[in-house]
């Protein structure tokens, strides 16, 4: 069981570039969640997806951020025209069901915008 | 008032001490309560979970929930240097809709000195 796989582990982008973060959920998990962790801050919910559907994007910034979870392949969090304030650790989690206790998290992608 | 408040610490204790970690919350709709442990540069891992009020014990760890006071605690007995990590409380409401999303505290950084 490989767990939740995120890549890349570290990503450096210049201001104005695009960042693409990938997440492969645990085997058998069809629910994916993205969280952002800013320095000295807790984890903040961004978006919840199931295969081919965005279920809840109430935590996503209105502009430049998008997410998808296609029928085949990993979930992608895309940040267009990155700014320094986007520098953070982005965590993906997955679960087998919507309910239950907590999720399984990946090790995160640390995005640095220079 | 933030939905979930958690003292960020840092908290430093000698090996063998009893550690008490706490969170308060304001949303009376929260029903599921969890504690995650996060080592440096790693993703959070689920440590303990409880539903509604009550206590739950697992080895050296005890989780308590007092819904009347909107207060949850995690106790660590006989603390070990390997317990040094950031501990995040998390909670959510009933399944479905945004109530199902996990809301995290900022985390308390714990250091156990040998």
């Amino acid at each position: 069981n490989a767990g939740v796989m995120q890549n890349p582990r570290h990503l450096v982008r210049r201001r104005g570039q695009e960042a693409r973060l990938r997440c492969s959920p645990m085997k058998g998990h069809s629910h994916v969640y993205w969280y952002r962790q800013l320095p000295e801050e807790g984890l903040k919910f961004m978006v919840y997806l199931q295969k081919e559907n965005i279920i809840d994007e109430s935590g996503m910034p209105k502009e430049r951020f998008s997410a998808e979870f296609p029928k085949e392949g990993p979930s992608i969090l895309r940040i267009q025209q990155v700014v320094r304030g986007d520098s953070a650790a982005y965590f993906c989690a997955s679960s087998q069901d919507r309910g239950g206790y907590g999720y399984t998290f990946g090790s995160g992608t640390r995005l640095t915008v220079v | 008032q933030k939905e979930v408040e958690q003292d960020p610490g840092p908290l430093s204790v000698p090996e063998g001490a009893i550690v008490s970690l706490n969170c308060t919350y304001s949303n009376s709709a929260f029903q599921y309560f969890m504690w995650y442990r996060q080592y440096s540069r790693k993703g959070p891992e689920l440590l303990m979970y409880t539903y509604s009020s009550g206590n739950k014990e697992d080895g050296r760890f005890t989780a308590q929930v007092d819904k009347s006071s909107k207060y949850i605690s995690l106790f660590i007995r006989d603390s070990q240097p390997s317990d040094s990590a950031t501990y995040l409380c998390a909670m959510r409401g009933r399944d479905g809709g945004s109530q199902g999303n996990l809301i995290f505290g900022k985390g308390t950084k714990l250091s156990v000195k040998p």
Side-chain angles (χ1 to χ4, degrees), chain B residues 63-76:
Chain B
Q64 289 185 351
V65 174
D66 182 350
K67 289 193 73 178
S68 63
S69 301
K70 296 190 178 67
Y71 187 88
I72 71 170
S73 301
L74 177 70
F75 297 95
I76 307 174

Side-chain angles (χ1 to χ4, degrees), chain B residues 1-110:
Chain B
Q1 181 186 14
K2 293 194 174 189
E3 275 196 296
V4 180
E5 301 270 10
Q6 184 177 8
D7 186 340
L11 182 62
S12 183
V13 301
E15 184 175 355
I18 296 174
V19 176
S20 173
L21 303 166
N22 312 292
C23 287
T24 59
Y25 62 96
S26 58
N27 190 340
S28 56
F30 288 149
Q31 297 179 359
Y32 299 86
F33 303 91
M34 285 138 272
W35 286 94
Y36 280 81
R37 178 174 59 195
Q38 186 176 22
Y39 291 111
S40 181
R41 300 292 186 180
K42 299 290 186 183
E45 56 176 325
L46 183 63
L47 196 60
M48 297 281 287
Y49 58 86
T50 52
Y51 172 74
S52 194
S53 287
N55 295 358
K56 185 172 183 178
E57 187 173 322
D58 184 2
R60 296 184 296 110
F61 299 89
T62 300
Q64 289 185 351
V65 174
D66 182 350
K67 289 193 73 178
S68 63
S69 301
K70 296 190 178 67
Y71 187 88
I72 71 170
S73 301
L74 177 70
F75 297 95
I76 307 174
R77 291 182 298 280
D78 187 24
S79 56
Q80 303 294 310
S82 57
D83 295 329
S84 298
T86 297
Y87 290 80
L88 301 136
C89 62
M91 49 199 78
R92 69 174 181 88
R94 61 176 174 81
D95 303 336
S98 60
Q99 291 288 344
N101 297 326
L102 276 183
I103 308 298
F104 283 84
K106 284 190 176 183
T108 300
K109 189 170 185 178
L110 171 67

Side-chain angles (χ1 to χ4, degrees), chain A residues 9-10 33 35 37 40-45 48 56 58 91 98-103 105-107 110, chain B residues 2 32 34 36 38 41-44 46 49-51 88 92 95-98 100-102 104-106:
Chain A
R9 290 295 305 276
H10 302 276
Y33 316 83
Y35 281 76
Q37 189 173 40
E40 308 304 322
E41 294 286 328
L43 289 155
K44 301 292 185 188
F45 168 78
Y48 159 45
D56 181 354
S58 58
F91 289 95
R98 173 55 165 157
Y101 297 100
Y103 320 134
F105 280 84
S107 294
R110 279 152 185 84
Chain B
K2 293 194 174 189
Y32 299 86
M34 285 138 272
Y36 280 81
Q38 186 176 22
R41 300 292 186 180
K42 299 290 186 183
L46 183 63
Y49 58 86
T50 52
Y51 172 74
L88 301 136
R92 69 174 181 88
D95 303 336
S98 60
N101 297 326
L102 276 183
F104 283 84
K106 284 190 176 183

Side-chain angles (χ1 to χ4, degrees), chain A residues 8 10-14 17-19 82 109-114:
Chain A
H10 302 276
L11 183 61
V12 179
R13 284 288 177 264
R14 296 185 184 279
Q17 290 185 320
E18 178 179 283
V82 296
T109 293
R110 279 152 185 84
L111 172 66
T112 302
V113 180
V114 297

Side-chain angles (χ1 to χ4, degrees), chain A residues 7-107:
Chain A
N7 64 82
R9 290 295 305 276
H10 302 276
L11 183 61
V12 179
R13 284 288 177 264
R14 296 185 184 279
R15 282 178 294 172
Q17 290 185 320
E18 178 179 283
R20 300 186 85 196
L21 289 62
R22 289 178 291 277
C23 168
S24 295
M26 281 186 69
K27 189 175 181 180
H29 287 192
S30 59
H31 301 258
V32 167
Y33 316 83
W34 285 93
Y35 281 76
R36 177 166 64 175
Q37 189 173 40
L38 293 164
E40 308 304 322
E41 294 286 328
L43 289 155
K44 301 292 185 188
F45 168 78
M46 299 182 75
V47 63
Y48 159 45
L49 311 102
Q50 292 183 38
K51 283 286 187 182
E52 300 185 276
N53 287 302
I54 297 174
I55 306 301
D56 181 354
E57 56 182 347
S58 58
M60 286 277 270
K62 292 291 184 283
E63 298 177 350
R64 301 187 297 107
F65 285 71
S66 63
E68 62 178 14
F69 188 15
K71 186 177 181 180
E72 300 291 338
S75 175
I76 305 287
L77 180 67
R78 182 182 292 109
I79 311 172
Q80 297 178 304
Q81 299 175 331
V82 296
V83 300
R84 288 221 171 108
D86 296 332
S87 296
Y90 292 83
F91 289 95
C92 168
S94 71
S95 67
Q96 190 171 28
D97 304 302
R98 173 55 165 157
Y101 297 100
Y103 320 134
T104 302
F105 280 84
S107 294

